[in-house]
Amino acid sequence: MPDADGNKDASNYGLGIPVKKKSFFMKGLEYADWGIKERMARIFDKRSGNAVMLAFDHGYIMGPTSGLERIDLNVVPLLKYADCIMCTRGVLRSCIPPDCGKPVALRFSAGGTILGSLNYECVMDIEEAVRLDVSAMAVMVAIGSENEALTIRNLTKTADMGNRYGIPTFGVTAVGKNLARDARYLGLATRVCAENGATFVKTYYCEGFEKVVAGCPVPIVIAGGKKLPERDALELAYKAINDGANGVDMGRNIFQAEDPAAMIQAVRAVVHKGYSPDRAFELYNDIKSK
Ligand code: 5RP
C-alpha cells in the first residue's frame, strides 16, 4: 500500500515486514552518510541531543594563553568530563593520551596568529584526519574579512575531503576585532558555513540567537568567548541551549574558571539536564567546596 505521501510499499517494502521510519537524532543530518552520522553520534549525546565540547586549540593563534600553559596539568584532568575535545594535532600528539576515549574535533585550518595575519589560513591533508581517527575537522570561516573567500574555500575543500571519508566538517565562525557579533552577522556566517558543506557550526551567542538557529539547517554549538564570571557563563550556556543550540564548545570559561573541573560539570548540568543558571552555579560552588 502506498503511504500517506504516496510512496509505494514504504511501510513494509512489500514483504509484510514493518519498517521503522528512518531518522537521525540531529537536525539536518537525515540524509548524511553513515560515517558522518556515526561520528556525530560520538560527539552528541543521543538523550539530550547536545554536547559539551572542550576547546583548547587557542594556542595555535595565541600561544600559551592563561589556563593553557600546561595542557598536561590544566586540561588532561578535565577530559573525563567532556563529550568531545577540540585541539590541534600538535597538542593531540604531544599531550593527549590516545586511550582517553574522547572523540576529537581536530583544528584543521591553520595560518596567521593574533600578531600577524589572523584568519589567513590553509587546511591540512585528509590523511592526517584519518590517521588520527578524528570525529570532526574544524575550519575557521571569516565572513566579512579580507580573507573571506580563502576561508570559505578552506571549508569547501574540507567538506569535499570529509564527504569522501565520512568525516564531519565543523565550520567555525571567526573571531576578530572588526567582525560583528549580532544576529544578522552570525545568521549570515552560520548559514554560509552550512550552505558550503559544514556538518555543524560553531558560533557566538547573541541577542536574537533563536533567529540564527532557525536560519541554519545544521546543528549549532556556541563558543564561550572571553572569560566571564562563572554564573554569567552558565547563564550564557543556558540561554543558548534554550534558544536552540545543540551544545557548547567552550574553552576560556572552563579552563580559566577558578575551579575548571567544577565548572565543566556545572556546564554539563545545563547542557544535558537543563539546569537553570542559579541551580548550576549552586552545583559549581558545591563541587568547588569539596
Ligand atoms: C577559536 C576557537 C576556540 O576554540 C573558541 O573560541 C572556543 O573557545 P572559547 O570558549 O574560549 O571562546 O575556535 O577560533
Side-chain angles (χ1 to χ4, degrees), residues 31-48:
Y31 307 118
D33 191 46
W34 194 94
I36 299 271
K37 286 177 171 162
E38 190 272 342
R39 286 181 170 87
M40 290 295 278
R42 290 185 200 169
I43 301 172
F44 291 89
D45 182 272
K46 275 197 237 20
R47 275 161 302 180
S48 66

Side-chain angles (χ1 to χ4, degrees), residues 55 57-58 86 107 140 172 202 204 223-225 249-252:
D57 59 328
H58 306 57
M86 177 166 171
R107 165 56 70 178
M140 177 86 87
V172 178
K202 168 156 97 165
Y204 291 88
D249 185 18
M250 205 175 249
R252 287 163 287 182

